[in-house]
mmCIF file of all heavy atoms in Angstrom:
data_model
loop_
_atom_site.group_PDB
_atom_site.id
_atom_site.type_symbol
_atom_site.label_atom_id
_atom_site.label_comp_id
_atom_site.label_asym_id
_atom_site.label_seq_id
_atom_site.Cartn_x
_atom_site.Cartn_y
_atom_site.Cartn_z
ATOM 1 N N LEU A 2 94.219 101.188 95.215
ATOM 2 C CA LEU A 2 94.600 101.964 96.392
ATOM 3 C C LEU A 2 93.487 101.775 97.407
ATOM 4 O O LEU A 2 92.332 102.098 97.132
ATOM 5 C CB LEU A 2 94.749 103.447 96.052
ATOM 6 C CG LEU A 2 94.854 104.405 97.247
ATOM 7 C CD1 LEU A 2 96.136 104.149 98.041
ATOM 8 C CD2 LEU A 2 94.766 105.849 96.787
ATOM 9 N N LEU A 3 93.823 101.241 98.572
ATOM 10 C CA LEU A 3 92.894 101.112 99.689
ATOM 11 C C LEU A 3 93.345 102.130 100.719
ATOM 12 O O LEU A 3 94.441 102.025 101.268
ATOM 13 C CB LEU A 3 92.949 99.692 100.253
ATOM 14 C CG LEU A 3 92.045 99.387 101.432
ATOM 15 C CD1 LEU A 3 90.582 99.555 101.047
ATOM 16 C CD2 LEU A 3 92.305 97.978 101.924
ATOM 17 N N THR A 4 92.530 103.152 100.940
ATOM 18 C CA THR A 4 92.928 104.248 101.804
ATOM 19 C C THR A 4 91.799 104.614 102.753
ATOM 20 O O THR A 4 90.641 104.290 102.513
ATOM 21 C CB THR A 4 93.338 105.491 100.978
ATOM 22 O OG1 THR A 4 93.818 106.504 101.854
ATOM 23 C CG2 THR A 4 92.193 106.036 100.159
ATOM 24 N N ASP A 5 92.156 105.275 103.816
ATOM 25 C CA ASP A 5 91.159 105.805 104.732
ATOM 26 C C ASP A 5 90.709 107.164 104.209
ATOM 27 O O ASP A 5 91.433 107.813 103.450
ATOM 28 C CB ASP A 5 91.759 105.943 106.135
ATOM 29 C CG ASP A 5 90.685 106.071 107.195
ATOM 30 O OD1 ASP A 5 90.227 105.041 107.700
ATOM 31 O OD2 ASP A 5 90.306 107.221 107.497
ATOM 32 N N ALA A 6 89.533 107.601 104.616
ATOM 33 C CA ALA A 6 89.039 108.917 104.192
ATOM 34 C C ALA A 6 89.902 110.040 104.756
ATOM 35 O O ALA A 6 90.044 111.086 104.136
ATOM 36 C CB ALA A 6 87.589 109.092 104.624
ATOM 37 N N ALA A 7 90.496 109.805 105.921
ATOM 38 C CA ALA A 7 91.352 110.818 106.549
ATOM 39 C C ALA A 7 92.759 110.256 106.687
ATOM 40 O O ALA A 7 92.969 109.270 107.378
ATOM 41 C CB ALA A 7 90.807 111.195 107.915
ATOM 42 N N VAL A 8 93.691 110.853 105.961
ATOM 43 C CA VAL A 8 95.102 110.466 106.055
ATOM 44 C C VAL A 8 95.878 111.706 106.491
ATOM 45 O O VAL A 8 95.429 112.833 106.260
ATOM 46 C CB VAL A 8 95.646 109.901 104.721
ATOM 47 C CG1 VAL A 8 94.973 108.592 104.372
ATOM 48 C CG2 VAL A 8 95.480 110.878 103.591
ATOM 49 N N PRO A 9 97.032 111.537 107.121
ATOM 50 C CA PRO A 9 97.782 112.708 107.596
ATOM 51 C C PRO A 9 98.062 113.710 106.467
ATOM 52 O O PRO A 9 98.623 113.354 105.439
ATOM 53 C CB PRO A 9 99.080 112.112 108.130
ATOM 54 C CG PRO A 9 98.715 110.711 108.509
ATOM 55 C CD PRO A 9 97.689 110.278 107.485
ATOM 56 N N GLY A 10 97.606 114.926 106.659
ATOM 57 C CA GLY A 10 97.887 115.993 105.712
ATOM 58 C C GLY A 10 97.000 116.037 104.486
ATOM 59 O O GLY A 10 97.221 116.863 103.594
ATOM 60 N N ALA A 11 95.989 115.170 104.391
ATOM 61 C CA ALA A 11 95.135 115.150 103.205
ATOM 62 C C ALA A 11 93.869 114.362 103.511
ATOM 63 O O ALA A 11 93.643 113.952 104.639
ATOM 64 C CB ALA A 11 95.879 114.515 102.031
ATOM 65 N N THR A 12 93.077 114.149 102.469
ATOM 66 C CA THR A 12 91.957 113.223 102.560
ATOM 67 C C THR A 12 92.250 112.065 101.619
ATOM 68 O O THR A 12 93.139 112.162 100.753
ATOM 69 C CB THR A 12 90.630 113.889 102.134
ATOM 70 O OG1 THR A 12 90.703 114.189 100.732
ATOM 71 C CG2 THR A 12 90.338 115.145 102.933
ATOM 72 N N GLY A 13 91.520 110.996 101.765
ATOM 73 C CA GLY A 13 91.691 109.861 100.864
ATOM 74 C C GLY A 13 91.444 110.253 99.419
ATOM 75 O O GLY A 13 92.132 109.808 98.504
ATOM 76 N N THR A 14 90.470 111.134 99.205
ATOM 77 C CA THR A 14 90.163 111.608 97.854
ATOM 78 C C THR A 14 91.323 112.406 97.280
ATOM 79 O O THR A 14 91.702 112.228 96.118
ATOM 80 C CB THR A 14 88.881 112.462 97.861
ATOM 81 O OG1 THR A 14 87.808 111.665 98.377
ATOM 82 C CG2 THR A 14 88.522 112.956 96.482
ATOM 83 N N GLU A 15 91.908 113.290 98.081
ATOM 84 C CA GLU A 15 93.064 114.061 97.611
ATOM 85 C C GLU A 15 94.232 113.145 97.273
ATOM 86 O O GLU A 15 94.902 113.326 96.250
ATOM 87 C CB GLU A 15 93.492 115.073 98.678
ATOM 88 C CG GLU A 15 92.503 116.197 98.866
ATOM 89 C CD GLU A 15 92.760 117.035 100.118
ATOM 90 O OE1 GLU A 15 93.483 116.582 101.028
ATOM 91 O OE2 GLU A 15 92.223 118.147 100.167
ATOM 92 N N LEU A 16 94.482 112.151 98.132
ATOM 93 C CA LEU A 16 95.541 111.185 97.868
ATOM 94 C C LEU A 16 95.283 110.446 96.560
ATOM 95 O O LEU A 16 96.184 110.284 95.730
ATOM 96 C CB LEU A 16 95.650 110.193 99.034
ATOM 97 C CG LEU A 16 96.658 109.068 98.870
ATOM 98 C CD1 LEU A 16 98.075 109.616 98.728
ATOM 99 C CD2 LEU A 16 96.564 108.117 100.060
ATOM 100 N N ALA A 17 94.047 110.029 96.355
ATOM 101 C CA ALA A 17 93.696 109.316 95.117
ATOM 102 C C ALA A 17 93.957 110.188 93.892
ATOM 103 O O ALA A 17 94.535 109.720 92.910
ATOM 104 C CB ALA A 17 92.236 108.884 95.168
ATOM 105 N N HIS A 18 93.549 111.443 93.941
ATOM 106 C CA HIS A 18 93.760 112.337 92.798
ATOM 107 C C HIS A 18 95.250 112.550 92.529
ATOM 108 O O HIS A 18 95.670 112.589 91.368
ATOM 109 C CB HIS A 18 93.046 113.669 93.011
ATOM 110 C CG HIS A 18 91.556 113.557 92.908
ATOM 111 N ND1 HIS A 18 90.889 113.147 91.776
ATOM 112 C CD2 HIS A 18 90.594 113.785 93.828
ATOM 113 C CE1 HIS A 18 89.599 113.138 91.985
ATOM 114 N NE2 HIS A 18 89.381 113.517 93.233
ATOM 115 N N ARG A 19 96.036 112.680 93.582
ATOM 116 C CA ARG A 19 97.498 112.827 93.403
ATOM 117 C C ARG A 19 98.099 111.595 92.735
ATOM 118 O O ARG A 19 98.911 111.711 91.811
ATOM 119 C CB ARG A 19 98.178 113.048 94.746
ATOM 120 C CG ARG A 19 97.925 114.394 95.353
ATOM 121 C CD ARG A 19 98.634 114.518 96.682
ATOM 122 N NE ARG A 19 98.100 115.630 97.450
ATOM 123 C CZ ARG A 19 98.384 115.863 98.715
ATOM 124 N NH1 ARG A 19 99.198 115.055 99.373
ATOM 125 N NH2 ARG A 19 97.864 116.884 99.331
ATOM 126 N N LEU A 20 97.719 110.421 93.216
ATOM 127 C CA LEU A 20 98.274 109.190 92.658
ATOM 128 C C LEU A 20 97.776 108.926 91.244
ATOM 129 O O LEU A 20 98.504 108.373 90.418
ATOM 130 C CB LEU A 20 97.971 108.007 93.561
ATOM 131 C CG LEU A 20 98.715 108.027 94.891
ATOM 132 C CD1 LEU A 20 98.229 106.901 95.806
ATOM 133 C CD2 LEU A 20 100.219 107.901 94.666
ATOM 134 N N ARG A 21 96.559 109.344 90.939
ATOM 135 C CA ARG A 21 96.031 109.143 89.586
ATOM 136 C C ARG A 21 96.712 110.041 88.563
ATOM 137 O O ARG A 21 96.614 109.785 87.368
ATOM 138 C CB ARG A 21 94.529 109.347 89.572
ATOM 139 C CG ARG A 21 93.802 108.114 90.102
ATOM 140 C CD ARG A 21 92.336 108.269 89.951
ATOM 141 N NE ARG A 21 91.646 107.028 90.259
ATOM 142 C CZ ARG A 21 90.366 106.975 90.547
ATOM 143 N NH1 ARG A 21 89.633 108.084 90.557
ATOM 144 N NH2 ARG A 21 89.801 105.825 90.817
ATOM 145 N N ARG A 22 97.392 111.088 89.006
ATOM 146 C CA ARG A 22 98.187 111.875 88.057
ATOM 147 C C ARG A 22 99.325 111.027 87.506
ATOM 148 O O ARG A 22 99.747 111.200 86.369
ATOM 149 C CB ARG A 22 98.743 113.126 88.731
ATOM 150 C CG ARG A 22 97.714 114.193 88.925
ATOM 151 C CD ARG A 22 98.341 115.486 89.444
ATOM 152 N NE ARG A 22 97.369 116.127 90.310
ATOM 153 C CZ ARG A 22 97.588 116.554 91.535
ATOM 154 N NH1 ARG A 22 98.788 116.466 92.062
ATOM 155 N NH2 ARG A 22 96.633 117.089 92.233
ATOM 156 N N ILE A 23 99.827 110.110 88.345
ATOM 157 C CA ILE A 23 100.928 109.220 87.950
ATOM 158 C C ILE A 23 100.385 107.945 87.309
ATOM 159 O O ILE A 23 100.936 107.461 86.330
ATOM 160 C CB ILE A 23 101.779 108.854 89.186
ATOM 161 C CG1 ILE A 23 102.342 110.114 89.836
ATOM 162 C CG2 ILE A 23 102.893 107.876 88.829
ATOM 163 C CD1 ILE A 23 102.868 109.891 91.247
ATOM 164 N N ARG A 24 99.302 107.403 87.883
ATOM 165 C CA ARG A 24 98.685 106.159 87.422
ATOM 166 C C ARG A 24 97.191 106.389 87.199
ATOM 167 O O ARG A 24 96.378 106.089 88.069
ATOM 168 C CB ARG A 24 98.878 105.046 88.446
ATOM 169 C CG ARG A 24 100.307 104.636 88.637
ATOM 170 C CD ARG A 24 100.346 103.440 89.589
ATOM 171 N NE ARG A 24 101.667 102.904 89.688
ATOM 172 C CZ ARG A 24 102.208 102.029 88.839
ATOM 173 N NH1 ARG A 24 101.522 101.611 87.815
ATOM 174 N NH2 ARG A 24 103.432 101.595 89.013
ATOM 175 N N PRO A 25 96.808 106.901 86.040
ATOM 176 C CA PRO A 25 95.400 107.238 85.795
ATOM 177 C C PRO A 25 94.440 106.052 85.897
ATOM 178 O O PRO A 25 93.268 106.235 86.179
ATOM 179 C CB PRO A 25 95.401 107.793 84.369
ATOM 180 C CG PRO A 25 96.813 108.082 84.045
ATOM 181 C CD PRO A 25 97.670 107.249 84.931
ATOM 182 N N GLU A 26 94.929 104.847 85.675
ATOM 183 C CA GLU A 26 94.074 103.662 85.702
ATOM 184 C C GLU A 26 93.854 103.114 87.110
ATOM 185 O O GLU A 26 93.109 102.151 87.298
ATOM 186 C CB GLU A 26 94.686 102.559 84.817
ATOM 187 C CG GLU A 26 95.931 101.897 85.394
ATOM 188 C CD GLU A 26 97.220 102.740 85.385
ATOM 189 O OE1 GLU A 26 97.247 103.836 84.796
ATOM 190 O OE2 GLU A 26 98.194 102.290 85.989
ATOM 191 N N LEU A 27 94.457 103.727 88.118
ATOM 192 C CA LEU A 27 94.405 103.230 89.484
ATOM 193 C C LEU A 27 92.977 103.187 90.028
ATOM 194 O O LEU A 27 92.245 104.168 89.965
ATOM 195 C CB LEU A 27 95.249 104.135 90.395
ATOM 196 C CG LEU A 27 95.401 103.725 91.850
ATOM 197 C CD1 LEU A 27 96.178 102.416 91.978
ATOM 198 C CD2 LEU A 27 96.098 104.820 92.634
ATOM 199 N N CYS A 28 92.577 102.037 90.549
ATOM 200 C CA CYS A 28 91.291 101.894 91.230
ATOM 201 C C CYS A 28 91.461 102.347 92.675
ATOM 202 O O CYS A 28 92.525 102.185 93.256
ATOM 203 C CB CYS A 28 90.848 100.438 91.229
ATOM 204 S SG CYS A 28 90.515 99.780 89.599
ATOM 205 N N VAL A 29 90.395 102.908 93.241
ATOM 206 C CA VAL A 29 90.469 103.429 94.604
ATOM 207 C C VAL A 29 89.257 102.959 95.398
ATOM 208 O O VAL A 29 88.123 103.059 94.931
ATOM 209 C CB VAL A 29 90.520 104.966 94.613
ATOM 210 C CG1 VAL A 29 90.592 105.490 96.040
ATOM 211 C CG2 VAL A 29 91.696 105.481 93.797
ATOM 212 N N LEU A 30 89.536 102.480 96.605
ATOM 213 C CA LEU A 30 88.489 102.157 97.574
ATOM 214 C C LEU A 30 88.840 102.912 98.841
ATOM 215 O O LEU A 30 89.899 102.698 99.428
ATOM 216 C CB LEU A 30 88.416 100.653 97.839
ATOM 217 C CG LEU A 30 87.386 100.197 98.876
ATOM 218 C CD1 LEU A 30 85.978 100.661 98.517
ATOM 219 C CD2 LEU A 30 87.426 98.681 99.026
ATOM 220 N N CYS A 31 87.959 103.818 99.231
ATOM 221 C CA CYS A 31 88.193 104.684 100.381
ATOM 222 C C CYS A 31 87.315 104.232 101.547
ATOM 223 O O CYS A 31 86.108 104.094 101.394
ATOM 224 C CB CYS A 31 87.865 106.114 99.976
ATOM 225 S SG CYS A 31 88.320 107.336 101.210
ATOM 226 N N LEU A 32 87.940 104.006 102.696
ATOM 227 C CA LEU A 32 87.229 103.585 103.890
ATOM 228 C C LEU A 32 86.788 104.825 104.650
ATOM 229 O O LEU A 32 87.619 105.648 105.027
ATOM 230 C CB LEU A 32 88.134 102.719 104.761
ATOM 231 C CG LEU A 32 88.820 101.566 104.027
ATOM 232 C CD1 LEU A 32 89.754 100.826 104.965
ATOM 233 C CD2 LEU A 32 87.809 100.637 103.404
ATOM 234 N N ALA A 33 85.495 104.973 104.846
ATOM 235 C CA ALA A 33 84.963 106.202 105.440
ATOM 236 C C ALA A 33 84.164 105.895 106.694
ATOM 237 O O ALA A 33 83.387 104.949 106.721
ATOM 238 C CB ALA A 33 84.078 106.922 104.424
ATOM 239 N N GLY A 34 84.367 106.715 107.714
ATOM 240 C CA GLY A 34 83.578 106.619 108.926
ATOM 241 C C GLY A 34 82.189 107.156 108.688
ATOM 242 O O GLY A 34 81.872 107.678 107.618
ATOM 243 N N HIS A 35 81.334 107.035 109.677
ATOM 244 C CA HIS A 35 79.946 107.478 109.526
ATOM 245 C C HIS A 35 79.849 108.928 109.076
ATOM 246 O O HIS A 35 79.068 109.259 108.204
ATOM 247 C CB HIS A 35 79.186 107.310 110.849
ATOM 248 C CG HIS A 35 79.052 105.890 111.268
ATOM 249 N ND1 HIS A 35 78.223 105.011 110.612
ATOM 250 C CD2 HIS A 35 79.648 105.178 112.251
ATOM 251 C CE1 HIS A 35 78.307 103.821 111.183
ATOM 252 N NE2 HIS A 35 79.173 103.906 112.186
ATOM 253 N N GLU A 36 80.660 109.800 109.653
ATOM 254 C CA GLU A 36 80.566 111.214 109.308
ATOM 255 C C GLU A 36 81.148 111.542 107.940
ATOM 256 O O GLU A 36 80.790 112.530 107.332
ATOM 257 C CB GLU A 36 81.236 112.094 110.376
ATOM 258 C CG GLU A 36 82.726 111.862 110.548
ATOM 259 C CD GLU A 36 83.071 110.665 111.438
ATOM 260 O OE1 GLU A 36 82.174 110.024 111.978
ATOM 261 O OE2 GLU A 36 84.278 110.384 111.563
ATOM 262 N N GLU A 37 82.060 110.699 107.417
ATOM 263 C CA GLU A 37 82.646 110.976 106.102
ATOM 264 C C GLU A 37 81.824 110.375 104.968
ATOM 265 O O GLU A 37 81.901 110.834 103.849
ATOM 266 C CB GLU A 37 84.067 110.406 105.992
ATOM 267 C CG GLU A 37 85.050 111.036 106.927
ATOM 268 C CD GLU A 37 85.526 110.074 107.997
ATOM 269 O OE1 GLU A 37 84.998 108.965 108.099
ATOM 270 O OE2 GLU A 37 86.418 110.467 108.750
ATOM 271 N N ALA A 38 81.063 109.321 105.264
ATOM 272 C CA ALA A 38 80.330 108.604 104.214
ATOM 273 C C ALA A 38 79.070 109.375 103.822
ATOM 274 O O ALA A 38 78.524 110.130 104.603
ATOM 275 C CB ALA A 38 79.954 107.211 104.688
ATOM 276 N N HIS A 39 78.623 109.156 102.616
ATOM 277 C CA HIS A 39 77.392 109.773 102.121
ATOM 278 C C HIS A 39 76.386 108.658 101.879
ATOM 279 O O HIS A 39 76.167 108.237 100.762
ATOM 280 C CB HIS A 39 77.660 110.550 100.833
ATOM 281 C CG HIS A 39 78.719 111.585 100.976
ATOM 282 N ND1 HIS A 39 78.517 112.752 101.660
ATOM 283 C CD2 HIS A 39 80.007 111.612 100.564
ATOM 284 C CE1 HIS A 39 79.618 113.470 101.641
ATOM 285 N NE2 HIS A 39 80.541 112.791 100.989
ATOM 286 N N GLY A 40 75.825 108.135 102.950
ATOM 287 C CA GLY A 40 74.883 107.032 102.831
ATOM 288 C C GLY A 40 75.526 105.741 103.267
ATOM 289 O O GLY A 40 76.588 105.739 103.871
ATOM 290 N N GLY A 41 74.909 104.625 102.973
ATOM 291 C CA GLY A 41 75.408 103.343 103.463
ATOM 292 C C GLY A 41 76.051 102.511 102.382
ATOM 293 O O GLY A 41 75.853 102.727 101.207
ATOM 294 N N GLY A 42 76.818 101.562 102.803
ATOM 295 C CA GLY A 42 77.409 100.594 101.889
ATOM 296 C C GLY A 42 78.535 101.160 101.062
ATOM 297 O O GLY A 42 79.250 102.049 101.481
ATOM 298 N N THR A 43 78.688 100.635 99.855
ATOM 299 C CA THR A 43 79.740 101.060 98.948
ATOM 300 C C THR A 43 79.179 102.099 97.997
ATOM 301 O O THR A 43 78.173 101.875 97.351
ATOM 302 C CB THR A 43 80.268 99.857 98.141
ATOM 303 O OG1 THR A 43 80.704 98.877 99.055
ATOM 304 C CG2 THR A 43 81.404 100.246 97.238
ATOM 305 N N LEU A 44 79.813 103.224 97.915
ATOM 306 C CA LEU A 44 79.362 104.322 97.078
ATOM 307 C C LEU A 44 80.421 104.661 96.057
ATOM 308 O O LEU A 44 81.594 104.417 96.267
ATOM 309 C CB LEU A 44 79.108 105.563 97.940
ATOM 310 C CG LEU A 44 78.207 105.353 99.140
ATOM 311 C CD1 LEU A 44 78.247 106.584 100.026
ATOM 312 C CD2 LEU A 44 76.798 105.107 98.680
#
């Protein structure tokens, strides 16, 4: 799942958790702006 940190009606993290209820093995990469990220690079 390649998602933005902010999606309509949720966050990328919330979306990931919802989808992982159906597909627990799902990998997630969330694209975050400066204010959403916690440091630099891939976290």
Side-chain angles (χ1 to χ4, degrees):
L2 168 65
L3 180 62
T4 184
D5 198 88
V8 294
T12 67
T14 302
E15 290 167 342
L16 176 62
H18 289 299
R19 288 180 197 170
L20 291 173
R21 281 186 171 161
R22 284 187 213 129
I23 301 164
R24 294 185 173 276
E26 72 287 352
L27 184 65
C28 295
V29 180
L30 178 56
C31 188
L32 309 177
H35 295 289
E36 63 278 357
E37 296 112 353
H39 304 287
T43 303
L44 308 170

